[in-house]
Amino acid sequence: MGQYDPKKPSAFNPVNIAIVLGLAALGYGGAFYLPHWWPVWQLSGIMHGIGNEAYRETDDIKLMEKLLKEAKRTKLGLTEENFTIEREPYPPEELQADRNGKPFTDSGRKLLEKRGKSISVYLDHSVDAKWPLLDKWTTLSFRRTVTTDLSTIDW
């Protein structure tokens, strides 16, 4: 090896050690958080589906039953106390006529009053999570809100 030949970097240098420690910390945090976050993320998709279903179904009790039935897939053990369903009613001036100025029939007005302008599905869930390799517990709180527009579609 000559005096002016380039030197190879060492396999163990501060940059490589920092990268390995950073990846280990991310892996440890992911092993703690992701098993609790993933079912809640799946549940937010279920809540979107319930919001879309609310366009046809005006009974919130049936929507709650369907939501609880679908939420069983996540195995979180959720009850009706974890969810809230709220509909935003139409203002009275919007129930007089449609966007083209044509007055609503009585049945059309009653349907809009039952359906509402939008629906919001709220989730509030807390879980006690155990840290991997430690004997410590932390309470994780998950809150989700899914709002779906239910206004009449004018093509």
Side-chain angles (χ1 to χ4, degrees):
M1 183 163 166
Q3 180 179 357
Y4 299 107
D5 289 341
K7 294 182 181 178
K8 290 185 178 181
S10 171
F12 298 106
N13 59 38
V15 174
N16 289 346
I17 293 172
I19 289 172
V20 169
L21 289 177
L23 289 175
L26 284 174
Y28 185 77
F32 167 71
Y33 189 72
L34 288 178
H36 304 289
W37 171 81
W38 180 254
V40 174
W41 183 77
Q42 289 177 322
L43 194 58
S44 61
I46 294 170
M47 291 164 56
H48 276 285
I50 294 298
N52 292 337
E53 182 74 25
Y55 188 83
R56 291 181 297 279
E57 180 62 59
T58 58
D59 187 10
D60 289 345
I61 295 172
K62 289 182 181 178
L63 288 175
M64 182 64 77
E65 289 172 357
K66 185 170 182 177
L67 178 61
L68 292 173
K69 180 182 172 189
E70 294 289 324
K72 285 182 183 178
R73 291 186 297 164
T74 61
K75 298 178 182 167
L76 290 175
L78 300 174
T79 63
E80 197 170 325
E81 295 171 358
N82 296 104
F83 296 102
T84 305
I85 296 177
E86 292 179 0
R87 291 182 188 259
E88 177 191 352
Y90 276 99
E93 59 272 3
E94 289 187 30
L95 291 174
Q96 301 305 318
D98 63 8
R99 293 182 183 138
N100 298 325
K102 182 180 172 187
F104 287 116
T105 61
D106 286 338
S107 62
R109 187 176 300 109
K110 287 179 184 177
L111 176 65
L112 290 177
E113 287 173 353
K114 285 182 187 178
R115 182 187 301 150
K117 192 171 188 174
S118 67
I119 188 167
S120 296
V121 182
Y122 301 97
L123 166 70
D124 188 9
H125 174 61
S126 296
V127 62
D128 290 328
K130 184 181 182 302
W131 285 91
L133 308 174
L134 297 175
D135 197 23
K136 294 189 177 192
W137 295 82
T138 301
T139 301
L140 298 176
S141 295
F142 297 98
R143 290 180 181 84
R144 296 284 187 267
T145 302
V146 175
T147 302
T148 305
D149 184 25
L150 300 178
S151 60
T152 305
I153 300 171
D154 289 335
W155 296 94

